[in-house]
Amino acid sequence: MKFIIWLLIGYVVYQMFKGRSGGEIPAAQPAEKGEETFRDPVCGVYVSAEDAVIGRHEGERLHFCSMECLEKYQERLENK
Ligand SMILES: [Zn+2]
């Protein structure tokens, strides 16, 4: 009987840790596997296809975290 109580406590603690670590994904880290992510060539942040600002360069699709980075990238190309 005692064993079951410890198992229950262990389970509750496990759920607490799980709840705390889950949710927000740090921007600099690749998102959870299964979700496709792209690296912003300007600031190096990983963005999901859903959140990305998509730019094009020579037929290539580029994914940016924001319009700001897209503009910076375009500026760099122009100044080349
Ligand atoms: Zn960026």
Side-chain angles (χ1 to χ4, degrees):
M1 195 61 201
K2 217 175 178 182
F3 174 70
I4 290 164
I5 291 162
W6 278 110
L7 207 72
L8 209 75
I9 291 165
Y11 178 74
V12 169
V13 170
Y14 168 72
Q15 286 298 318
M16 276 165 69
F17 272 98
K18 218 176 107 182
R20 208 195 301 171
S21 61
E24 274 181 63
I25 301 154
Q29 295 290 318
E32 279 177 55
K33 56 183 172 178
E35 195 184 347
E36 203 179 356
T37 55
F38 302 91
R39 197 166 180 270
D40 183 327
V42 177
C43 64
V45 152
Y46 286 91
V47 285
S48 67
E50 212 176 289
D51 299 330
V53 177
I54 296 162
R56 277 175 190 277
H57 176 60
E58 290 170 359
E60 213 184 320
R61 278 163 74 95
L62 295 158
H63 298 76
F64 301 93
C65 70
S66 62
M67 277 306 290
E68 211 176 302
C69 281
L70 174 67
E71 280 164 21
K72 268 188 209 170
Y73 189 82
Q74 283 172 336
E75 257 172 60
R76 265 193 221 173
L77 290 175
E78 282 161 24
N79 297 337
K80 211 190 281 179

